[in-house]
Amino acid sequence: MSQTGLAKALGLHPSAINKVVSGKRQLKSHEVAGAAVYFGEDAPQTELVPVTTGLVAARVAGVVEAGTFREVDEFDQSEPIEVMLPRDEKFPNARQLLFDCSGDSMNDLRPRPIFPGDRLVCISYEDVQHLVELRSGMVVVVERTRDSGHFREWSVKQLELFGDRAELHPRSTNPKHKPIVIQRDHEADDGVSVQVIALVRRVMNEMPGF
């Protein structure tokens, strides 16, 4: 039994397990079940409780860059903003997250562009990853971490998956924006981790002047 062996069993980079051991990361629900199998233990049983209310509070996570990556302000002491939204009918038990968009790298997305100032209504991928398999064409919010997770950045892109890599594509009229290519190499450890944190479900915007 080893951290590397557990990482391979869960399909994770060894650094992710190292963060779990050091208390900087928690195992996700589907990872708990996989870890139980690896250790020869019974997975804990959970019960999903149906939710019937029509509106739920969605947290404004912050600003996401439609461009390269935008640094997350780790020292923001302001009170979190919550907005009441209709529950996602397809994923009623998933947390909804809101991101305010900055930049023009998704202004040519089809069928609906994402413009600077748009608010992205997303669901937490952590809550649905056991139900939803990532596939090409999905519009996602990705987080890139460096320096053992102390430096975080966000970006919104359209996902394209290949056998040996994932590509995060801009859809823009601005030619300066280029795809971000992530090779699937679980052995490499350059201290940089990129993961999907949210799936974009809707785009909102309010007319100015009111």
Side-chain angles (χ1 to χ4, degrees):
M1 299 295 183
S2 66
Q3 291 186 32
T4 301
L6 179 58
K8 289 183 177 179
L10 300 181
L12 298 174
H13 192 278
S15 62
I17 302 302
N18 183 264
K19 291 178 183 178
V20 172
V21 174
S22 61
K24 297 177 181 178
R25 180 185 187 275
Q26 292 185 341
L27 285 177
K28 300 171 184 177
S29 57
H30 73 288
E31 295 169 350
V32 171
V37 172
Y38 178 73
F39 290 115
E41 302 288 344
D42 292 329
Q45 299 298 312
T46 59
E47 182 179 354
L48 292 178
V49 179
V51 181
T52 57
T53 55
L55 295 178
V56 293
R59 180 172 59 87
V60 179
V63 179
V64 64
E65 188 73 17
T68 53
F69 278 89
R70 184 185 187 95
E71 183 180 354
V72 180
D73 184 1
E74 301 285 2
F75 302 101
D76 184 4
Q77 299 298 314
S78 60
E79 288 292 323
I81 300 173
E82 290 190 342
V83 178
M84 299 304 294
L85 292 176
R87 188 174 297 278
D88 192 302
E89 293 184 0
K90 191 170 184 179
F91 305 103
N93 294 303
R95 288 169 295 166
Q96 294 194 72
L97 303 174
L98 302 177
F99 294 87
D100 292 326
C101 183
S102 174
D104 62 356
S105 78
M106 298 296 280
N107 68 0
D108 200 31
L109 178 68
R110 305 299 173 87
R112 201 286 191 191
I114 297 175
F115 297 111
D118 280 349
R119 175 163 282 183
L120 309 180
V121 181
C122 309
I123 56 173
S124 167
Y125 182 58
E126 180 180 4
D127 292 353
V128 299
Q129 59 185 338
H130 61 295
L131 301 172
V132 180
E133 182 178 358
L134 293 176
R135 61 181 184 273
S136 295
M138 285 183 168
V139 179
V140 298
V141 176
V142 293
E143 179 179 86
R144 181 169 65 184
T145 59
R146 291 182 284 173
D147 300 332
S148 300
H150 295 295
F151 185 83
R152 295 190 298 141
E153 303 167 292
W154 290 336
S155 184
V156 57
K157 291 287 181 288
Q158 189 167 41
L159 187 63
E160 295 291 341
L161 296 176
F162 301 90
D164 61 341
R165 69 192 187 281
E167 296 182 358
L168 303 170
H169 280 264
R171 304 299 183 196
S172 178
T173 58
N174 187 340
K176 77 173 185 179
H177 299 295
K178 306 299 181 185
I180 299 169
V181 179
I182 304 167
Q183 299 292 334
R184 295 187 179 182
D185 185 356
H186 294 298
E187 300 301 324
D189 188 3
D190 57 2
V192 178
S193 173
V194 179
Q195 65 176 340
V196 173
I197 61 170
L199 308 179
V200 179
R201 297 283 286 157
R202 292 190 291 125
V203 181
M204 300 168 52
N205 204 342
E206 296 183 4
M207 295 299 293
F210 293 93

